[in-house]
Amino acid sequence: GQLIRDRHRLALVNALAALDRLRGQLCEGRIELAAEECRFARNEIGGIVGYSTPEDVLGEIFQRFCIGK
């Protein structure tokens, strides 16, 4: 429905912004920051296609269930 399309559109907008920032970081020779922007873009697109890493899963668990508090 509309909610999914809006969520996908926002994820794509976020991914494109990250890729734009990545380009700027590469032009400035800031490889570490560029890699972080690449990771962010991958995560945004991964959210659309259903890809997640073990790190993502653990992050969701800790964020949603506050384990350790």
Side-chain angles (χ1 to χ4, degrees):
Q2 184 66 33
L3 181 60
I4 292 172
R5 286 192 298 268
D6 289 344
R7 184 175 60 87
H8 289 179
R9 185 176 300 114
L10 179 60
L12 288 174
V13 166
N14 289 340
L16 286 172
L19 292 173
D20 190 45
R21 292 188 304 267
L22 180 147
R23 184 181 1 201
Q25 298 297 353
L26 286 176
C27 289
E28 295 175 12
R30 301 169 82 179
I31 302 301
E32 298 84 9
L33 295 176
E36 183 64 22
E37 296 296 352
C38 186
R39 185 187 67 78
F40 182 80
R42 181 204 66 198
N43 289 344
E44 289 293 315
I45 294 169
I48 295 171
V49 298
Y51 175 79
S52 63
T53 65
E55 178 183 288
D56 298 332
V57 172
L58 287 175
E60 281 293 315
I61 291 170
F62 280 101
Q63 181 181 11
R64 290 182 183 213
F65 300 105
C66 301
I67 293 176
K69 286 188 175 185

